[in-house]
Amino acid sequence: VYTKLSKSIAPEIYGMDDVKRSLLLLLVGGSSMQMGDGLKIRGDINIALIGDPGVAKSQLLKQVSRLTPRGVYTTGKGSSGVGLTAAVVRDPISNEINLEGGALVLADLGVCCIDEFDKMEESDRTAIHEVMEQQSVSIAKAGITTTLNARTSILAAANPIYGRYNKKLTPHQNINLPAALLSRFDLVFLLLDKAERLSDELMSRH
């Protein structure tokens, strides 16, 4: 059953069996634990897909966002820190200040898929640190101080700095992501576009 379910995720994409198995576990999720001292251990896993362009990373993200009932798909280039967490807006009619949740808050108890994760601004990327570990968003703006739930799994896709992955460099040198953020991902998959005749022939026949 586990193998059949994993293969049913993006069946049009050839191979990537381990990636599809991990995406199935991400969709199913785990159970969070509350320790005796009040410490909470999250049950959701975060996955990063890193590799060469054209290896179907974006297709996998879109497929996962469609499969989950509370899936949100966004891109790093078109998302700001406020757009991911929460924004304070003033109602034009009543002139009252309201709080509007961003992509991570809307994906509570679901999956937030962030494409082009490496293209995000550094200031916007820091907003994700708290969500990935504490699964909450703390807001202190315009007199509003509150904490919003963001119990979401994060599925991110990123490309190497130099266009293609350089095997002579370490993964950290290839990816424009800080080590503190990269360590918050439970699974990091390196997807390389290898020029092999047999694999390319099997892929074309798929």
Side-chain angles (χ1 to χ4, degrees):
V1 176
Y2 176 53
T3 307
K4 283 185 178 179
L5 287 173
S6 64
K7 286 184 177 180
S8 65
I9 297 174
E12 70 276 5
I13 297 173
Y14 173 76
M16 297 191 187
D17 294 332
D18 290 334
V19 177
K20 291 179 181 180
R21 289 191 190 103
S22 66
L23 293 179
L24 176 62
L25 296 176
L26 177 134
L27 287 168
V28 173
S31 55
S32 58
M33 295 176 62
Q34 188 84 26
M35 309 303 287
D37 56 355
L39 179 68
K40 184 182 177 182
I41 300 175
R42 59 182 171 84
D44 303 305
I45 62 172
N46 302 314
I47 298 176
L49 305 178
I50 297 164
D52 298 327
V55 290
K57 297 189 298 293
S58 299
Q59 291 297 322
L60 287 170
L61 263 67
K62 288 180 180 178
Q63 186 79 284
V64 169
S65 66
R66 289 194 209 104
L67 286 172
T68 179
R70 301 192 74 171
V72 177
Y73 177 87
T74 183
T75 58
K77 194 69 177 173
S79 302
S80 63
V82 173
L84 287 172
T85 54
V88 176
V89 295
R90 187 177 293 275
D91 191 287
I93 299 172
S94 63
N95 209 30
E96 291 181 352
I97 295 175
N98 299 320
L99 195 64
E100 290 187 356
L104 294 168
V105 177
L106 293 173
D108 185 34
L109 298 176
V111 180
C112 184
C113 303
I114 306 175
D115 203 358
E116 306 289 346
F117 194 62
D118 55 308
K119 305 294 190 302
M120 289 182 69
E121 298 292 336
E122 184 62 35
S123 57
D124 299 332
R125 214 183 280 145
T126 53
I128 305 176
H129 285 249
E130 182 190 0
V131 177
M132 293 185 73
E133 205 55 53
Q134 307 301 326
Q135 294 200 310
S136 61
V137 174
S138 300
I139 300 295
K141 296 177 182 177
I144 298 176
T145 306
T146 185
T147 302
L148 303 174
N149 285 325
R151 296 158 295 182
T152 175
S153 296
I154 293 180
L155 176 61
N159 293 324
I161 303 173
Y162 309 105
R164 290 184 69 88
Y165 192 87
N166 189 349
K167 295 181 181 178
K168 295 180 181 179
L169 301 177
T170 61
H172 182 62
Q173 290 173 319
N174 269 288
I175 307 150
N176 187 26
L177 292 176
L181 184 60
L182 203 59
S183 65
R184 281 175 162 79
F185 286 101
D186 305 295
L187 290 171
V188 178
F189 285 99
L190 193 58
L191 307 175
L192 301 179
D193 186 12
K194 296 179 181 178
E196 294 178 356
R197 180 178 176 181
L198 181 61
S199 60
D200 290 345
E201 190 176 334
L202 291 170
M203 189 183 300
S204 64
R205 290 179 178 176
H206 179 67

